[in-house]
Amino acid sequence: MGSMAVIVLSKKPRLRILHAVTAGIGLAALAMNTDWVQYVFGLTLILHIMYNLRYSEGAHLVLSCVCALIFIMLLGGHIVWSWPHVLSVAVLGLLYIGQLCLLGNDEEVETVQSEAASDQAHDVLGLPDRASLRAAFNEFRTLDPGPAMLVMIRLEGFEQVNLHLGREFGDLLLAQSANRIKQQLHSHDVIAIANGNDMARVAHLGGLHFVFVCGLSNQKHLHEQLIDDILRSTLKPFNVGNCTLEVSARASYVNCDEELGQFDNLLTCGFLALDSQPNRAVCAYQQQMQITKLEQQARLAELAHIDFRSEFELYFQPVIRHQDNEIEFLELLLRWQHPKQGILAAGRFIDDIRLAGLAVPVAHYVIERAAEIAMALRMDNIHMPLSVNVFGPEMLHEEFIEFLDRILLEHHLLPGDLIIECPSALFMSLDAQGVAMVARLRSIGVRLCVDGFGEAPLILAKLPKLSVDYVKVGRSLTAEHQQQGQFKSVVRGMVEMQQQLNSKVICEGVETQEQLNFVQSLETFAAQGYFFARPLSSVGMISWLKQWKLEH
């Protein structure tokens, strides 16, 4: 009965045959009173050990070895002391009882492993995972080593959805976004990925990242076309739970010949490209990014032990009014006297300061140095407002405003002597508390300048009606435009809107007389750029100001 139960419950054909043979020989040994049948039965136990060594878990092997050992002892007793041969074959009962227990255990383990494998292979979006894509990629590259691209898609904008509407809406939005991505990947040049009983052409890495691989043998720029289709489809508004929501997407692509074609390394390159160029919608991986990353890691290590006073220096650049060509204020620019790379502009290490958690300490240092310079100018009978750049979020905290108030009092600065420049993105998402903090800053005598409108002047229209003193726009205004007539009318409208809000518009990046004439025709308030002066060390600021006054 035990042997029949084991044969029925066993799911492996080879094991069923082995159990049937063992049961048959065991019954023959019981029926026939001959020694050679017992020897054959012993051989079946050896077959059990060999089978379990190759196919089974350790518990089955231990059971087979124990049964074989007991059989040898009983067989030895039969030969030496003439024990009944029935005792030797009795080990068959022990073998099958143990097998019945282990088979039940194996069933539970297989069920758990099967469920875990199923969860791993099919995520909540019904897409294959990284392991499935890796297998498909390796098979594809073995069969077709020709040109190919790995493309990574990163969805953005879900933080606000999850925050304001909840993760349930975020998950629904993610599912709809995944469907839109799948709909664009109908080309047969996109490699197919096993997904259960089906095939898919895009894998979900988890979170907001999706990846696909396409061969370029038939169409050289297929990856660019697919990326464009995906980004355009993602920009269309989503209808989720009677709400109209908008998200965006960014993409990076990596040549599959990079990093010796190692799949995991290619994924790392895709992530690196997205992180290296956060302001670009489509990023192509370049090996220089690895060098830049290593340099950044070295700078982060150096920033952990930096002495602000000995390595940081403030440069300055004037802002010139159109009306009388006088200096409206001097912008102070942070520079790092790097021991190996020379003088680094703030744009080279500003992100490193954020990552190192030094945004607030650096802002405090720059403001204190600005106050010291302003007091030194006042002692030389020079009244000149100074502007400093801050990261943005730190200026909306009570502690920062109290620090500013103390610095103004300690250095006897007057209202308007200090101007804070901060990124435009900060003003685009101000809540009620943020608006109150901005009002507090102005109440203690600090002027505010909104920076960062260089790429899209139309974003000026989104600026909330806050009491800011200056608005800076960048090189997109000073560049040459073929449709200057239409462009000028649009920008002039933006300028007039800011003037009605008592904000003065300043154009950055003026390098030629033609550019200066152009920005003046826009009726802006002032300009800044190499045409007037390059950034200079604040050490010679007083001498430079006196020389400027003599010349102008």
Side-chain angles (χ1 to χ4, degrees), residues 79 102 270 542:
I79 295 173
L102 292 177
I542 293 177

Side-chain angles (χ1 to χ4, degrees), residues 70 82 169 212 232 282 326 366 463 482 492:
I70 294 174
S82 300
F169 279 88
F212 65 89
R232 283 192 290 108
V282 182
E326 291 294 334
V366 171
L463 186 65
Q482 296 180 355
R492 188 176 291 115

